[in-house]
Amino acid sequence: MRVLISGASIAGPVLAYWLTRFGHEVTVVERAPQPRKTGGHSVDLWRPALDIVERMGLLSAVRQRSITTERTLAYRPGVRRPASIDNTKIFTAVSDRHLEIMRDDLSEIFYDATRDTTEYVFADSLASISESGDVTFEHGRPRRFDLVIGADGLHSTVRRLAFGPESRFTDWVGAYLAVASVPRDMARDGVIIAHFDVGRTAMMYTAPHLQDARVLFLFRTERPLDYHHRDADRQKTLLREHFAGHVPRWLAELDQTPSFYFDSITQVRLDTWSRGRVALVGDAGLSPGPAIGASTSLAVLSAYVLAGQLAEAAGDHVRAYAAYQSELEEFVQRSRAFARGMAKTLLPSNRLGLSLLVNGTELATRLPSGMTRWLATLNSGGVRLFDTFPVRDYQPPTP
Ligand SMILES: Cc1cc2nc3c(=O)[nH]c(=O)nc-3n(C[C@H](O)[C@H](O)[C@H](O)COP(=O)(O)OP(=O)(O)OC[C@H]3O[C@@H](n4cnc5c(N)ncnc54)[C@H](O)[C@@H]3O)c2cc1C
């Protein structure tokens, strides 16, 4: 089958990899003029995503570019001594298999693994999709595909064209996320410097292979902010307003930062993840919210499951799309619930919550490893959730 994928970040290239491996002819269209190396921060790959990466033969490439932040020094207003949190202990407590990597490094690895077998079209976007699979582009000539898959993120064009306006399917969790690149010498290798406050948190870190350091800003607001998702100047102004009096040196870097990312922390909720020939993977269809859920792992997993179901259904997309959703739906719902809880924890609404977050985490990581792990396992619906999804092997029927 000829399959068109919109979006060449995480879900798109992973889907392209598995579809070509199952014998399909794949085209990926990406709005950016080249593979996006525009910053972003580190993303978590949990067990299911790492299992899939391993099956793609990319585990060592991913490991080589993974980052390790061993310790977090957590500051909060009015307290001079930072809490010292052992990150390694937290991650080993919550997962048997986990790795952190910069989003753009991961995207590049997936792109490199597929560029020879997939047709990539950069600097273009879909303009229309018909029921028969005829599509038009903003720039390129019209073409026909058997299937069209949206892997084009939270503000998916495919979702808008096939399902309707974004506002009908998105659910804002009351917070925002921004990432800025800052000079490397502001940070220390292996250490996250975090400044927590009521309703706002900023963290800075770097990694040995990075030429810069990254600052992650998270903040909560009462009402949605008024800005366009491509208007970086306005986004920086909003960020300065919300972090006024907090991390002034980091904010001062916003004027000259070479790369900046800003988005609302929004979940996507659709009753059905497909319509006709169109289906959605990754953030476009099932985002639990960037930075607070496991959106990157879900992007990898959803792409893999969709390709697998298409292979098992021998190209019967109606059957495959239904099986894809039913296999993942419950896990996605639980990820969303987890993400909402995470947003509340990371952005406490009062001083008590702030103190519990900083001191409680420090205390937990001071316990012997076995105890920290035991505490984590008590929370089976929460932090260990991402390890629990079994990754199937898909077998195309023999002709
Ligand atoms: C530049 C960037 C930086 C990010 N930084 C962070 C971060 O710091 N922290 C975090 O938690 N999450 C971040 N994210 C989101 C994170 O990558 C996703 O939550 C997750 O990895 C799911 O991946 P995805 O492939 O489904 O979607 P995304 O990673 O959002 O990728 C969507 C892709 O589709 C492309 N696209 C969008 N519209 C169109 C269109 N009309 N036609 C063709 N292509 C289109 C985009 O350019 C992008 O390459 C970032 C995303 C991007 C694009």
Side-chain angles (χ1 to χ4, degrees):
M1 281 197 297
R2 284 192 305 164
V3 184
L4 175 66
I5 301 170
S6 172
S9 174
I10 307 291
V14 173
L15 182 62
Y17 175 92
W18 287 101
L19 287 177
T20 48
R21 190 145 145 185
F22 289 130
H24 302 294
E25 213 178 290
V26 181
T27 300
V28 178
V29 58
E30 162 62 50
R31 187 194 282 285
Q34 70 256 339
R36 285 179 74 160
K37 291 286 286 177
T38 45
H41 88 121
S42 71
V43 291
D44 296 303
L45 288 180
W46 300 98
R47 170 179 279 287
L50 282 176
D51 289 352
I52 294 162
V53 164
E54 188 167 22
R55 289 174 199 193
M56 294 167 79
L58 298 175
L59 193 56
S60 70
V62 165
R63 274 217 183 105
Q64 265 170 30
R65 281 156 90 174
S66 68
I67 63 163
T68 312
T69 44
E70 284 131 22
R71 190 153 288 284
T72 298
L73 294 179
Y75 293 85
R76 64 198 161 100
V79 183
R80 276 185 70 104
R81 185 192 71 84
S84 178
I85 295 166
D86 182 344
N87 300 342
T88 321
K89 230 173 186 181
I90 293 184
F91 283 125
T92 41
V94 302
S95 173
D96 297 326
R97 203 171 196 205
H98 164 268
L99 179 151
E100 260 181 282
I101 183 167
M102 302 309 290
R103 189 209 73 89
D104 38 2
D105 283 340
L106 183 64
S107 175
E108 186 171 62
I109 290 170
F110 289 147
Y111 169 68
D112 285 344
T114 49
R115 59 194 299 176
D116 294 337
T117 49
T118 300
E119 179 195 16
Y120 276 92
V121 179
F122 287 97
D124 209 347
S125 168
L126 274 166
S128 70
I129 310 167
S130 81
E131 281 180 18
S132 56
D134 289 303
V135 300
T136 60
F137 295 92
E138 281 177 7
H139 305 294
R141 63 186 166 79
R143 292 170 69 173
R144 170 174 280 204
F145 293 90
D146 299 302
L147 304 178
V148 179
I149 315 290
D152 42 4
L154 213 49
H155 310 289
S156 168
T157 296
V158 171
R159 190 183 59 223
R160 178 172 52 77
L161 293 173
F163 293 77
E166 183 166 318
S167 55
R168 278 174 46 199
F169 309 109
T170 47
D171 199 358
W172 177 58
V173 307
Y176 290 86
L177 147 87
V179 185
S181 166
V182 299
R184 193 180 198 289
D185 56 13
M186 290 175 74
R188 276 162 52 188
D189 274 329
V191 178
I192 300 177
I193 311 285
H195 287 269
F196 289 95
D197 197 356
V198 173
R200 56 186 184 174
T201 291
M203 305 182 189
M204 178 171 61
Y205 58 90
T206 187
H209 75 284
L210 291 181
Q211 283 167 1
D212 63 349
R214 309 276 163 97
V215 180
L216 166 70
F217 299 91
L218 289 170
F219 64 101
R220 190 182 277 293
T221 62
E222 290 280 304
R223 272 173 280 284
L225 297 173
D226 181 21
Y227 71 97
H228 187 275
H229 66 266
R230 294 210 196 96
D231 185 352
D233 288 340
R234 168 88 182 127
Q235 294 162 4
K236 287 179 187 173
T237 304
L238 290 168
L239 201 57
R240 283 191 199 95
E241 280 170 21
H242 282 83
F243 279 84
H246 200 58
V247 293
R249 269 196 64 212
W250 299 359
L251 286 179
E253 292 298 327
L254 288 178
D255 288 328
Q256 56 267 355
T257 183
S259 96
F260 180 71
Y261 170 78
F262 185 102
D263 213 335
S264 63
I265 304 188
T266 294
Q267 302 192 324
V268 174
R269 286 167 190 275
L270 287 151
D271 293 337
T272 48
W273 304 352
S274 60
R275 183 160 288 180
R277 294 172 187 274
V278 177
L280 302 170
V281 287
D283 275 5
L286 21 133
S287 171
I292 52 164
S295 45
T296 305
S297 291
L298 272 182
V300 173
L301 182 62
S302 58
Y304 173 78
V305 172
L306 178 62
Q309 291 292 356
L310 277 165
E312 282 197 347
D316 175 350
H317 68 273
V318 177
R319 191 149 62 89
Y321 285 176
Y324 156 63
Q325 180 164 349
S326 93
E327 187 173 337
L328 277 180
E329 196 160 27
E330 194 198 326
F331 184 65
V332 168
Q333 273 167 9
R334 289 173 64 200
S335 302
R336 278 195 203 119
F338 171 79
R340 287 194 164 261
M342 196 62 179
K344 284 203 183 109
T345 309
L346 277 179
L347 294 167
S349 52
N350 55 43
R351 298 226 159 254
L352 177 65
L354 182 63
S355 152
L356 280 175
L357 167 67
V358 175
N359 297 339
T361 316
E362 184 186 35
L363 185 66
T365 65
R366 284 207 181 145
L367 296 171
S369 295
M371 288 268 282
T372 318
R373 201 175 167 78
W374 177 73
L375 278 175
T377 52
L378 288 182
N379 190 354
S380 60
V383 284
R384 291 192 67 82
L385 164 72
F386 303 127
D387 264 21
T388 59
F389 190 86
V391 176
R392 280 190 49 204
D393 257 335
Y394 297 93
Q395 302 298 340
T398 33

